[in-house]
Amino acid sequence: MSPTDPSSAKASGSNFIRNIIDADLAANKFAPRRWSGRPGPAEQHKVSLGDTPKIRTRFPPEPNGYLHFGHAKSICLNFGLARDYGGACHLRFDDTNPEKEEQEYVDSIIDAVKWLGFDWGANLYYASNYFDWMYAFAEYLIESGNAYVDSQSAEEMRASRGTLTEPGKASPYRNRSAAENLDLFRRMKAGEFADGAHVLRARIDMASPNINLRDPAIYRIKRATHHNTGDAWCIYPMYTYAHPIEDALENITHSICTLEFEDQRPFYDWLLERLAEGGLLQRPLPQQIEFARLNLSYVVLSKRKLIQLVEEKHVDGWDDPRLPTLVGARRRGFTAEGFRRFADMIGVAKSDSWIDMSVLEGCMRDHLNETALRRIAVLDPVRLVIDNYPEDQEEMCEAPNHPQQPDWGRREIPFAKELWIEREDFTEHPPKGYFRLFPGNTVRLRYGYVVKCTGCVKDEAGNIKSVHCIYLPDTKSGTPGADSVKVKGNIHWVSAKHAYQAEVRLYDRLFSAEAPGAGGRDFIDDLNPDSKRIIAAQLEPALKEAIPEERFQFERHGYFVADRVDSRPGAPAFNRAVTLKDSWSKAR
RNA sequence: UGGGGCUUCGCCAAGUUGGUUAAGGCACCGGAUUUUGAUUCCGGCAUUCCCAGGUUCGAAUCCUGGAGCCCCAGCCA
């Protein structure tokens, strides 16, 4: 199911959903299930022998937007469960509302789920492919007295629904005969009525304390071209009605959704029970299980807000590396494995919890630490001149591609008299504990020589133009004398003459508030003005050959990725995914 | 205020048939190693489970009462 070895997939700890599945499996609940090889009603499945996957879950996005971090939790949950239990997870597009859904979103969702590392095999489905069955089931509901056509206006319906504390009142159309209802419903389908003229409702209980059971609408007239069925239909099923049926047709065992659907579960069960009674759906019926959606600090995940950020151009499109979309995260340099670890780490439960953005960042840092090649980059360059180094001399220094992975080899970095070093690695007035360059101090130029700082040259305004030092010839890394001089400081550098100057984007959190828009503020006002800084950095020459999406650790800085959109062959641009932990600046 | 949920360490989260000292992760704090102030390693980190009573030899787990937070009145999903 996933690119990672299933056997190594560390069984994410116990959680309430696993407990339910364990109990179901122990009770052999799914033994009667049949699977015909494709979704369908009882009649179709019952001629088959059984269903090989032990459980079936599904990830059912509505193709009306881009997937975000919240979806990643759900994807990892559903596909992860299927993987761990020898089951299957379906990718199903819940496309029952033609006004909001587009092919563009279908494509991006497919890309995102694949990128996260999951495989639905042959189980790619569209709710819209079930419209015929849904329609037939609705006729059955009418015939069995469980649904009726209501001809009230939307306003009238709302008015008669009652309130949270008062029961609703029956519609004057509630007791139409089955024959009349059937005739009306067929004419709705035939296109005889205007949008909104009638609606099909389940007949349950207008006085139910659960508002969702007060005769919910299940079909509405809506003339709109559907991305999949075109103009074949002018009536479309509502989510409440469609979703349970989709699950049942697909033989889903555990239909996992978020907490806000909890009140919907009685209807889910009611509907499926009616249909199973009629022999339309096979038992055992799918069961809906609700878990708490992801809440992430410093982030907005609501579709409305994401759209606003894109449309008002606070970010550069849906794949902006600062956006919590999966395409954005990918461009940012986040990894699929990082998301999977994150999902495992935060677990799944029913309490409405908040996860700090630093947890996600930590997962990315963790995975990137293990996998990213090390390279040198000077992001805020100032010139370092080695006064006692011959003018025209050059030599190579050797550095490992990864300190913990000797097998990954080494690369050479050119060294010369003039180097770029980090501006913050030199100071004339060192604070307590500072062990980088300052006049009189000795540091190692990482993978090169030990140098002793002699001072700096400033312009009239007092800005440092260059730092000066002398090197200790016998101290080159890798040579016998390398450790003859012990130093505490170790700074990185790039030869000025050989450096590859590139565009580097330093991304930071999009919002500076933990809960953007909290306390009645406009969330736009919480935007972090420094969430994107574009700089010209001096990089070690090897970085020129980076290919799009190749990720690196820029030593002592963080993890960066060659941008998959703006990089050109031989001229990659880099995005910062996440910084390294920095206990020095934290301590200060 | 009708209905449905939730409440265990700074943040997640096990624990659910009542039974030794309340898992684990993250964060944090020490200390060791380190040519990344990174990584890695080792150690520490809830006499207490929202609160108050009660049952019991024994309760986070059972009972009673209370508090706080989230969700529901679309012909959205």
Side-chain angles (χ1 to χ4, degrees):
Chain A
M1 297 267 17
S2 103
T4 55
D5 176 9
S7 62
S8 75
K10 71 160 174 275
S12 345
S14 163
N15 64 51
F16 78 104
I17 298 179
R18 284 170 182 271
N19 293 347
I20 291 170
I21 295 175
D22 289 340
D24 288 345
L25 259 17
N28 219 234
K29 178 177 170 186
F30 306 122
R33 291 161 70 242
R34 299 290 178 269
W35 175 246
S36 66
R38 62 198 157 83
E43 183 186 49
Q44 177 190 307
H45 287 309
K46 72 182 176 197
V47 297
S48 307
L49 291 175
D51 195 2
T52 315
K54 293 199 178 62
I55 60 167
R56 282 180 190 269
T57 55
R58 100 270 94 111
F59 174 63
E62 181 188 16
N64 72 342
Y66 287 82
L67 259 29
H68 56 61
F69 294 179
H71 294 111
K73 176 180 180 182
S74 175
I75 292 167
C76 291
L77 209 212
N78 280 292
F79 280 93
L81 250 14
R83 176 196 60 214
D84 294 348
Y85 281 94
C89 181
H90 300 185
L91 174 59
R92 177 172 75 221
F93 289 99
D94 206 350
D95 53 354
T96 57
N97 186 347
E99 286 174 345
K100 301 165 60 171
E101 295 145 9
E102 291 171 26
Q103 188 60 41
E104 175 198 349
Y105 296 126
V106 169
D107 298 338
S108 78
I109 289 168
I110 285 177
D111 276 354
V113 179
K114 262 190 208 158
W115 177 74
L116 269 183
F118 297 105
D119 180 11
W120 48 87
N123 299 303
L124 174 63
Y125 304 115
Y126 292 83
S128 55
N129 286 149
Y130 310 148
F131 282 168
D132 284 323
W133 284 315
M134 290 176 186
Y135 177 79
F137 292 179
E139 286 207 349
Y140 166 77
L141 251 24
I142 291 171
E143 286 163 355
S144 57
N146 288 304
Y148 63 98
V149 172
D150 195 349
S151 307
Q152 295 182 104
S153 67
E155 297 69 45
E156 289 169 325
M157 264 182 66
R158 191 185 322 119
S160 61
R161 188 156 23 234
T163 69
L164 294 177
T165 52
E166 308 157 54
K169 293 190 294 285
S171 161
Y173 305 99
R174 195 169 198 262
N175 290 315
R176 292 214 254 229
S177 70
E180 187 186 354
N181 282 319
L182 202 52
D183 173 63
L184 249 16
F185 187 50
R186 286 178 177 167
R187 288 164 62 196
M188 280 167 65
K189 181 192 182 213
E192 289 187 28
F193 306 115
D195 288 13
H198 306 281
V199 58
L200 185 70
R201 290 230 250 174
R203 180 192 274 111
I204 308 180
D205 178 7
M206 286 308 290
S208 173
N210 179 348
I211 291 186
N212 299 291
L213 258 24
R214 318 239 263 230
D215 293 8
I218 60 180
Y219 259 99
R220 76 282 218 186
I221 303 172
K222 184 170 282 211
R223 262 161 268 256
T225 301
H226 188 282
H227 78 103
N228 185 30
T229 60
D231 295 316
W233 295 85
C234 65
I235 57 172
Y236 291 93
M238 302 281 293
Y239 164 86
T240 5
Y241 174 75
H243 206 90
I245 293 176
E246 294 158 23
D247 287 338
L249 294 172
E250 290 179 20
N251 227 348
I252 297 303
T253 55
H254 305 272
S255 178
I256 301 167
C257 61
T258 44
L259 251 28
E260 67 269 28
F261 294 102
E262 210 152 18
D263 291 341
Q264 211 77 243
R265 190 170 64 232
F267 178 75
Y268 185 103
D269 292 337
W270 176 91
L271 209 216
L272 260 22
E273 211 34 68
R274 298 291 79 71
L275 265 12
E277 278 167 11
L280 269 13
L281 295 176
Q282 75 167 328
R283 293 179 192 276
L285 267 2
Q287 65 173 311
Q288 178 178 300
I289 301 170
E290 311 82 12
F291 71 98
R293 61 158 10 106
L294 173 66
N295 292 305
L296 246 200
S297 63
Y298 296 99
V299 155
V300 298
L301 291 177
S302 101
K303 206 163 279 179
R304 198 207 98 229
K305 289 176 180 167
L306 292 176
I307 288 172
Q308 187 180 341
L309 289 171
V310 172
E311 286 183 347
E312 293 179 1
K313 306 225 187 297
H314 295 110
V315 295
D316 310 322
W318 284 101
D319 65 348
D320 187 297
R322 294 166 293 178
L323 234 34
T325 55
L326 261 16
V327 272
R330 178 175 179 179
R331 223 183 138 183
R332 173 78 172 255
F334 282 14
T335 67
E337 171 63 17
F339 277 107
R340 286 184 234 119
R341 291 183 188 190
F342 176 67
D344 277 346
M345 186 178 285
I346 63 176
V348 48
K350 298 190 71 162
S351 51
D352 193 16
S353 53
W354 279 82
I355 308 293
D356 197 274
M357 185 58 183
S358 64
V359 175
L360 211 213
E361 291 165 345
C363 289
M364 295 303 162
R365 192 181 285 127
D366 228 57
H367 180 230
L368 259 3
N369 172 48
E370 293 166 22
T371 55
L373 297 184
R374 308 291 126 121
R375 291 292 182 266
I376 304 296
V378 177
L379 302 183
D380 184 13
V382 67
R383 208 169 272 268
L384 176 72
V385 182
I386 307 167
D387 290 319
N388 62 338
Y389 195 85
E391 194 74 41
D392 298 317
Q393 188 169 318
E394 282 178 32
E395 62 186 294
M396 297 308 258
C397 295
E398 223 190 33
N401 284 321
H402 189 117
Q404 276 84 237
Q405 302 287 352
D407 295 354
W408 293 7
R410 306 172 69 80
R411 85 279 186 190
E412 294 196 314
I413 306 169
F415 183 89
K417 184 182 179 76
E418 297 206 357
L419 310 175
W420 291 115
I421 61 166
E422 218 61 66
R423 192 167 286 276
E424 65 168 24
D425 283 342
F426 170 79
T427 179
E428 285 185 282
H429 309 289
K432 190 169 187 295
Y434 187 90
F435 51 67
R436 279 114 95 154
L437 237 31
F438 54 87
N441 194 38
T442 308
V443 305
R444 175 171 295 279
L445 295 174
R446 194 162 165 73
Y447 309 127
Y449 294 92
V450 172
V451 296
K452 179 170 184 156
C453 184
T454 54
C456 64
V457 175
K458 292 191 265 193
D459 64 14
E460 317 74 56
N463 301 309
I464 294 165
K465 302 297 289 181
S466 62
V467 178
H468 288 256
C469 68
I470 54 171
Y471 84 118
L472 281 41
D474 293 332
T475 58
K476 187 175 181 185
S477 293
T479 66
D483 295 323
S484 60
V485 180
K486 291 286 180 199
V487 294
K488 189 116 169 50
N490 204 313
I491 67 171
H492 63 274
W493 51 272
V494 168
S495 162
K497 163 159 49 163
H498 304 273
Y500 162 49
Q501 184 179 108
E503 176 173 315
V504 171
R505 296 78 174 261
L506 301 178
Y507 291 110
D508 201 346
R509 292 174 182 177
L510 223 208
F511 293 95
S512 42
E514 199 167 359
R521 269 173 293 136
D522 182 348
F523 78 104
I524 295 295
D525 295 337
D526 288 327
L527 247 11
N528 172 9
D530 295 321
S531 61
K532 177 186 184 182
R533 266 176 57 218
I534 299 180
I535 60 168
Q538 302 292 346
L539 314 182
E540 75 168 82
L543 247 9
K544 206 169 164 48
E545 311 317 319
I547 55 177
E549 294 211 271
E550 199 175 359
R551 298 175 176 89
F552 302 93
Q553 182 195 94
F554 288 178
E555 294 197 32
R556 303 214 296 139
H557 282 302
Y559 299 95
F560 292 73
V561 65
D563 189 89
R564 69 188 192 114
V565 176
D566 298 325
S567 292
R568 297 288 162 268
F574 294 90
N575 300 331
R576 182 172 69 195
V578 59
T579 60
L580 245 34
K581 263 200 230 170
D582 184 358
S583 54
W584 167 243
S585 65
K586 209 179 89 180
R588 306 190 65 231

